[in-house]
Amino acid sequence: MVTAAHPLPLPTVRYPAVRHLGPNWYASVMGTAIVATAGAGLPLHLPGLRTVCAAVWALSLALLVTLLTARVLHWTHHRDQARAHLLDPAAAPFYGCLAMALLAVGGGAVTVGRDWIGTGPAVALDAILFTAGTTVGVATAVAVPYLMAVRHRIEPGQATPVWLLPVVAPMVSAALGPLLVPYLPAGQPRETLLLACFALFGLSLLATLLMLPLVFARLLTGGPLPLALTPTLFLVLGPLGQSTTAVGNVADAAPGVVPAPYEQGFVTFAVLYGVPVMGFALLWLCLATAHVVRARRQGMGFAMTWWSFTFPVGTCVTGAEALARHTGLVAFDGLAVGLYAVLLGAWVTVAAHTVRGLVSGELLAAPRPAPGAPRPARGRTTSGAVR
């Protein structure tokens, strides 16, 4: 008598909700934190503005803790998927978002979070997050381009602004590191940190200048980006606005830290560098907006790439605020306020769509290929992007 073999039970997948949680989710932390820090620097004296900014920073801190916990579960129970992200040329660059999320929340602690948790705890928190974020950022700036060169199979037509994410992370360190300078002992410690931030500025700037021509050439010769990737054109604003912020913050911290004439040289450089770069940022903002309007008319739906509308614009706000401080021009004050209104509208819109996608489960579902897509370059990746 032959008995039928019982089918083996399928292995239980633990924490299935985080299996497809990619590193691109850290963009939501960055985009939320910049709303707080940029709002605190506005030339406005609205009642309750700083309190609201502190509340938004607290939200970004909560998001960071939640995502770090979820990513630990992801790496622990879904290591195969985590490895797939590293080997996916569309997903790996998003590891730069981890560094920037740590740095953005840390900088917000000293800027507005101290109102709620006190200066001492805020500085301690920023020191921890700045150290971790800078370490991860520099490592990512080396590791991801290395993987792109030796492990990923990349064609020129696949270049997107997402490639900028790993090399922009050190620029965020350069912009936020000067906030810690006054809390260090006078002398060598302060000067070392300040000049290290300026070195990170150079590292990121030169790396960006290598990457950006590839992205622009792809845009001109390969046509518009796929619809879901079109919002990533706003990522180009990140290194522009953040570098302007960085030189402005370095100049703010320089008096009494570096000897003359370098002290005044930093102030001069902040203006001579920041003004033309901000001009190019406004040009790119118009170009990127035109592409997004076109994509929206062609049916571009919501994707996590919409978070590109937040943090990069926020860096332009902080860059305009820095230029306003160093030039005294009301025009830069007005520019900062106008860009902040854009940032706030974008954040509300993207946050609402993200919450809706989480509630429905769509954003955490397994990626599926675009139906009928004739080219692999337009398939949805594990990062939630389309390539």
Side-chain angles (χ1 to χ4, degrees):
M1 181 176 181
V2 179
T3 58
H6 294 286
L8 295 176
L10 295 175
T12 302
V13 178
R14 301 190 66 185
Y15 303 102
V18 301
R19 176 165 177 76
H20 301 286
L21 186 73
N24 58 322
W25 276 84
Y26 289 112
S28 62
V29 178
M30 299 157 51
T32 302
I34 198 70
V35 172
T37 53
L42 290 175
L44 300 174
H45 302 286
L46 300 177
L49 174 61
R50 191 169 178 88
T51 301
V52 172
C53 290
V56 174
W57 170 80
L59 174 61
S60 72
L61 177 60
L63 289 173
L64 177 63
V65 172
T66 301
L67 274 175
L68 288 175
T69 303
R71 289 289 293 170
V72 168
L73 294 175
H74 176 82
W75 272 94
T76 302
H77 300 286
H78 304 286
R79 192 161 298 180
D80 61 321
Q81 190 66 27
R83 180 176 173 80
H85 286 161
L86 281 173
L87 297 180
D88 183 352
F94 283 100
Y95 273 93
C97 292
L98 167 59
M100 291 186 278
L102 295 170
L103 293 164
V105 174
V110 171
T111 305
V112 293
R114 62 183 181 182
D115 294 352
W116 284 15
I117 65 176
T119 299
V123 172
L125 178 61
D126 188 18
I128 294 171
L129 294 180
F130 175 79
T131 302
T134 301
T135 302
V136 173
V138 173
T140 302
V142 174
V144 173
Y146 175 80
L147 287 174
M148 293 172 71
V150 303
R151 296 298 299 272
H152 300 163
R153 295 296 178 261
I154 298 175
E155 298 177 359
Q158 293 177 314
T160 73
V162 172
W163 288 9
L164 295 172
L165 289 173
V167 299
V168 172
M171 188 66 78
V172 182
S173 295
L176 297 177
L179 300 179
L180 287 171
V181 169
Y183 300 101
L184 292 178
Q188 289 277 334
R190 291 186 181 183
E191 186 173 0
T192 299
L193 177 58
L194 190 66
L195 293 184
C197 290
F198 199 53
L200 289 168
F201 161 81
L203 180 160
S204 182
L205 177 64
L206 295 178
T208 298
L209 292 177
L210 292 176
M211 286 287 193
L212 190 54
L214 301 176
V215 175
F216 193 50
R218 154 57 184 100
L219 193 63
L220 293 183
T221 60
L225 294 176
L227 295 184
L229 281 178
T230 302
T232 64
L233 288 171
F234 275 73
L235 294 177
V236 176
L237 296 175
L240 302 176
Q242 198 67 276
S243 62
T244 303
T245 304
V247 294
N249 288 348
V250 168
D252 289 338
V257 175
V258 295
Y262 304 113
E263 171 186 321
Q264 186 57 41
F266 278 122
V267 176
T268 302
F269 181 69
V271 176
L272 294 182
Y273 173 87
V275 172
V277 170
M278 186 58 65
F280 180 68
L282 294 177
L283 169 66
W284 192 271
L285 176 61
C286 295
L287 177 65
T289 301
H291 275 265
V292 168
V293 170
R294 173 189 173 277
R296 190 64 172 161
R297 288 175 176 173
Q298 293 190 353
M300 179 187 75
F302 175 73
M304 287 298 290
T305 52
W306 279 35
W307 281 101
S308 303
F309 298 141
T310 56
F311 189 79
V313 175
T315 66
C316 291
V317 176
T318 56
E321 291 169 350
L323 287 174
R325 292 196 305 271
H326 290 289
T327 64
L329 292 178
V330 177
F332 285 118
D333 285 333
L335 177 62
V337 173
L339 289 175
Y340 189 76
V342 174
L343 168 63
L344 198 58
W347 182 82
V348 170
T349 301
V350 178
H353 279 285
T354 302
V355 171
R356 188 179 300 121
L358 282 172
V359 172
S360 67
E362 182 179 355
L363 289 180
L364 295 176
R368 53 189 181 278
R375 296 180 296 172
R378 298 183 67 89
R380 186 165 179 255
T381 71
T382 56
S383 69
V386 172
R387 64 181 181 123

